[in-house]
Amino acid sequence: MAGIGQGAIFDKLKLAIDSNSRLEALELLRAAERIESEHFLLFLIYKCLPFPDETIRKEAYRLLEKHVDKVLQPLGAVLNHPEFKARYEVFTLLGDTGNLTVDQIKDIFSKPEKDDTKIKAVDYLLKLQGKESYYFLVKQMTLPGLALRRHLNKTLVALGETLVEPIKKVFADGNLHEKYWALKILIDISGPKAFKQIRKLLLSKDPTVRLYAMAALEYLPGEKGLGMLFAGMLEQSPLMRYQASYVLARRGEETLREALSIMRHKGPELKDELIVIIGKILGNRSKKFFARMLVSKSADERYYALRAVAQNPDREGVRILIDALNDPVWVIRHMVCSMLAHVLPIARDELIKVLDCENLDKIYWACKALGDGRDPLSARPLMNLLDRHKDPNVRVWAARALGKLDLEHLVDLLIMGFEDEALSVRNEILSALSTMSPEKVVKPLLIQLFSGHKSLSFWCEKTLKGLNFKSFSSVLQMLVTLDERGTDRFVSFLHQLKPYQIVSILNRKEVRLEDFDPDNLTEEEHKFVPLSEYRSIDDLLAQLKEMKGSDLHLNVGLPPMFRIHGELVRTNLPSVDEEKANQLFSTLLNEEQKARFEKDWEIDFSHEVRHIGRFRANIFRQRYGLSGIFRLIPSIVHTISAGESINRIVGAFPAEYQEQVRLELSGVLRGIVSQKLLQKTDKKGRVLAYELLITNHAVKNLIKEAKTEQLSSVMQTSSKDHMQTMDQSLANLVKLEKITLETALPHVSDKTGFKNLISSGTDTQTKKKTVR
């Protein structure tokens, strides 16, 4: 910068700061040593101190430090600057140069400043005001910043006994929160000497004061503090007992020796509390600490040891608990089972292994724990047990556990269990279904009631009777009076209704077939709300349909977006945060789906909005949070035949649901049309070739039994019902000379059979034609 005048340096500096040129600005600041004008100093204050780069701020600080006396008033004004960095630098500059007043320092504690600024304020206040600041600083321990409290505590404790009088003053006129922290500081300063003050507070008539005093015992060393805590566990107040147990757990392993000694002399209630605390303190080390008691001949000792291990077990601890399912004392086995259910997320795999053992008693307890734990991931192994185990008692236990899971997708599988040869199993399945939510079981039970399968129908009737629906007698009358066509209509209605609608209908005094017709139900249409007031995914999907869009995209950190005419369009809504995404998505998933999502962090499913449409949904978790895509499903499946269409629909669902999907599809499907537009013989346009499947009784059975390859034969032999295969349609068009043979052949499934179709006789609308 040699040869450049100070005025030119200042001008270049202003340009560099405005253009955010850090390196140039830094070089110019270092060259501005001799500039002392007020205009330059104000530029440093208002432009350089708030600058994002720290090196620029430090260089401005250095230059200002030489001339603080010239700009005290503007520096004081910057203490209220909107930029934290500017406030911090000015506060430090004024404090380091001794130009802060007591009021300015104390004012910092009442503002939402960061801990860094308030920590400096502590040091400046002590330097400026000394002992007069002690009382004020003790009261600032209630501020929320952890770093600030640590600094205050360290600084105040270092003052030693001189702080006792200010602390007593806080005890006299401070609020409860201030008294708590004052007590903690007193303990840190005085150690066991603080015992008298705590004991005095524990005798207070104010229960809140006693709770604070109990909390402060965490910091009082020695046996006196432990003695007070154990006494607190015998208090009548449950809050005091909880506070005492919490503090004991916080004090760690030093508590254990005294606790075990007290256990030998105190009452059983205190022993139970203490063993839980010891288990929480030791965590997965409990198994080693209680190794002798775990194998003791005393049932009481085994009980206490197992309770401690169960507080926070690792895999080895889980295996210890599972081994205890063989304990000779039934009460211990029952207690261990309850504890395994409580820690099921880490115990589940080990419990599932037990289901394959030969010990029936152990299998019983494993089934009970899996059921009581209500984890959807337990469903499959329990279902396998119900389906395959040779012992009917085991199948009973599996059915009982499955009922406790209360999962909708298990209902059809449990109903199939009504064919079990053991009456005890069938009765247990009835009980299991009866304990599940009525809305989850009513639809499958009614469908099977009208299935024509005598055994299943009988047990479904018994189960439904136990649910005490008001109009179930009317349903039974329909069962014996409806013909095959009426039964098919009823089952079709059931497939279209939502479970809550069925429950609502059955709670009427009397019902007829027409009452189940979805078209006869009065249901309030979706109420459109302004986009800015959306409450749910359904509100957004309704707006998507209104705007003729195809996709809804939701991503944490971005506003909702619609795909309209192929273009992704952002809305003017606020960005979706993690809490909002959780709230929107959680209402769409059932318990089993939530479990799958927690395991895989991604899930695909379908979602229907009444009067709006069906949507294919994909929810997944990525780096920045939850995301979801909802795509409107049109009523077209891009396949070349009816059989392939059915396979495509069923194949869109996970394997474990496909049997249920086939069952429901056979009830709701009315027909399938497959279409092709082919060039006419005269090449002046196109003509339609189509395959038509009408869902009759034979077609329903083939869909249920997954025999879609036989649908072609049904269509070929059902021309009286207006059905036809694509090959038949193509052959007719060739015979009518609407398309050429060369045009048809690429679309033919059976080339040999096609030539036979062409050469066969035609109906009255078809001319004879010989095909070579």
Side-chain angles (χ1 to χ4, degrees), residues 8 26 68 80 176 283 395 418 426 485 525 537 578 610 642:
L26 187 60
V68 171
N80 295 312
L176 284 172
R395 301 201 297 275
F418 279 139
R426 299 199 294 274
R485 181 178 177 82
E525 293 193 8
I537 292 289
E578 187 75 15
R610 181 82 168 170

Side-chain angles (χ1 to χ4, degrees), residues 408 412 443-444 447 491-492 494-497 657-670 703-704:
E408 188 173 359
D412 283 297
K443 186 172 179 176
I447 290 172
V491 173
S492 173
L494 291 175
H495 281 292
Q496 297 175 63
L497 293 173
Y657 300 116
Q658 290 181 6
E659 183 179 349
Q660 173 65 19
V661 172
R662 289 184 185 279
L663 187 66
E664 295 204 15
L665 187 61
S666 68
V668 299
L669 188 66
R670 290 292 170 265
I703 295 173
K704 288 179 186 177

Side-chain angles (χ1 to χ4, degrees), residues 222-394:
E223 293 184 1
K224 286 185 176 180
L226 285 177
M228 285 183 174
L229 288 169
F230 290 134
M233 293 184 64
L234 298 175
E235 287 265 0
Q236 290 187 347
S237 166
L239 291 176
M240 287 291 284
R241 294 199 301 272
Y242 176 84
Q243 183 73 290
S245 63
Y246 173 79
V247 173
L248 277 169
R250 295 269 298 177
R251 288 184 61 135
E253 292 193 31
E254 68 172 282
T255 308
L256 299 185
R257 289 186 299 275
E258 184 72 14
L260 290 175
S261 174
I262 287 179
M263 278 178 61
R264 299 187 180 95
H265 310 294
K266 299 295 182 181
E269 290 183 3
L270 181 58
K271 288 182 181 179
D272 285 342
E273 294 281 351
L274 287 175
I275 205 67
V276 169
I277 293 169
I278 292 171
K280 287 179 179 178
I281 293 172
L282 289 173
N284 56 25
R285 293 169 293 166
S286 295
K287 55 187 179 291
K288 184 176 180 180
F289 189 87
F290 289 99
R292 183 194 62 79
M293 292 175 64
L294 286 168
V295 295
S296 171
K297 292 183 179 180
S298 166
D300 287 350
E301 288 198 343
R302 294 198 305 275
Y303 166 83
Y304 283 127
L306 289 166
R307 279 203 71 182
V309 170
Q311 295 310 307
N312 189 19
D314 56 8
R315 293 288 180 186
E316 186 180 346
V318 167
R319 285 191 284 271
I320 289 172
L321 294 172
I322 288 178
D323 288 341
L325 293 176
N326 289 322
D327 195 280
V329 178
W330 183 90
V331 174
I332 290 181
R333 299 200 299 274
H334 188 276
M335 181 267 294
V336 168
C337 174
S338 298
M339 292 180 168
L340 286 168
H342 184 68
V343 296
L344 193 61
I346 63 170
R348 182 183 57 249
D349 292 344
E350 294 297 326
L351 283 167
I352 289 172
K353 291 178 184 177
V354 175
L355 301 182
D356 293 327
C357 75
E358 299 295 325
N359 186 328
L360 294 186
D361 191 55
K362 207 168 181 179
I363 293 175
Y364 165 80
W365 290 111
C367 286
K368 180 171 171 47
L370 290 169
D372 291 346
R374 288 173 170 77
D375 185 343
L377 296 178
S378 304
R380 180 169 292 182
L382 288 169
M383 200 69 229
N384 288 338
L385 209 63
L386 176 62
D387 287 340
R388 298 186 176 92
H389 204 281
K390 61 184 179 181
D391 192 304
N393 289 317
V394 174

Side-chain angles (χ1 to χ4, degrees), residues 597-615:
F597 180 73
E598 290 297 325
K599 179 183 178 184
D600 302 329
W601 291 123
E602 182 173 14
I603 189 168
D604 293 298
F605 60 98
S606 64
H607 178 62
E608 182 175 0
V609 186
R610 181 82 168 170
H611 305 296
I612 303 299
R614 287 177 59 80
F615 297 83

Side-chain angles (χ1 to χ4, degrees), residues 61-273:
Y61 181 100
R62 184 182 66 81
L63 293 172
L64 282 166
E65 195 172 19
K66 302 175 183 179
H67 308 289
V68 171
D69 292 342
K70 297 180 180 179
V71 286
L72 281 177
Q73 187 173 354
L75 282 173
V78 176
L79 290 175
N80 295 312
H81 196 281
E83 275 289 331
F84 159 73
K85 298 181 183 67
R87 296 196 307 273
Y88 177 78
E89 296 294 349
V90 167
F91 185 74
T92 303
L93 178 60
L94 291 172
D96 288 349
T97 57
N99 286 295
L100 284 172
T101 67
V102 170
D103 289 339
Q104 283 176 320
I105 297 172
K106 288 185 175 181
D107 192 43
I108 290 295
F109 292 100
S110 61
K111 293 180 178 179
E113 292 291 351
K114 293 186 178 180
D115 279 3
D116 291 349
T117 307
K118 292 180 179 179
I119 286 171
K120 282 186 175 291
V122 171
D123 299 335
Y124 293 148
L125 189 60
L126 281 171
K127 185 178 179 181
L128 186 63
Q129 203 180 25
K131 290 184 178 180
E132 295 177 22
S133 66
Y134 295 170
Y135 168 75
F136 175 82
L137 289 175
V138 170
K139 299 187 77 171
Q140 304 316 304
M141 285 290 292
T142 60
L143 293 174
L146 180 60
L148 172 64
R149 285 209 306 268
R150 284 176 175 169
H151 181 75
L152 265 171
N153 189 75
K154 181 180 178 181
T155 302
L156 293 171
V157 169
L159 298 173
E161 296 292 329
T162 58
L163 205 65
V164 173
E165 288 304 317
I167 287 174
K168 287 182 178 179
K169 187 178 179 184
V170 174
F171 283 148
D173 60 14
N175 62 42
L176 284 172
H177 205 31
E178 292 166 349
K179 289 179 181 179
Y180 167 78
W181 286 106
L183 190 56
K184 181 192 179 304
I185 295 171
L186 182 63
I187 293 170
D188 290 339
I189 294 171
S190 307
K193 293 180 182 178
F195 173 76
K196 291 182 180 179
Q197 183 66 44
I198 294 177
R199 185 170 61 180
K200 182 179 179 181
L201 294 176
L202 285 171
L203 296 174
S204 170
K205 294 181 179 180
D206 188 331
T208 309
V209 172
R210 294 202 304 275
L211 285 172
Y212 272 103
M214 188 66 69
L217 288 172
E218 179 181 345
Y219 311 104
L220 184 65
E223 293 184 1
K224 286 185 176 180
L226 285 177
M228 285 183 174
L229 288 169
F230 290 134
M233 293 184 64
L234 298 175
E235 287 265 0
Q236 290 187 347
S237 166
L239 291 176
M240 287 291 284
R241 294 199 301 272
Y242 176 84
Q243 183 73 290
S245 63
Y246 173 79
V247 173
L248 277 169
R250 295 269 298 177
R251 288 184 61 135
E253 292 193 31
E254 68 172 282
T255 308
L256 299 185
R257 289 186 299 275
E258 184 72 14
L260 290 175
S261 174
I262 287 179
M263 278 178 61
R264 299 187 180 95
H265 310 294
K266 299 295 182 181
E269 290 183 3
L270 181 58
K271 288 182 181 179
D272 285 342
E273 294 281 351

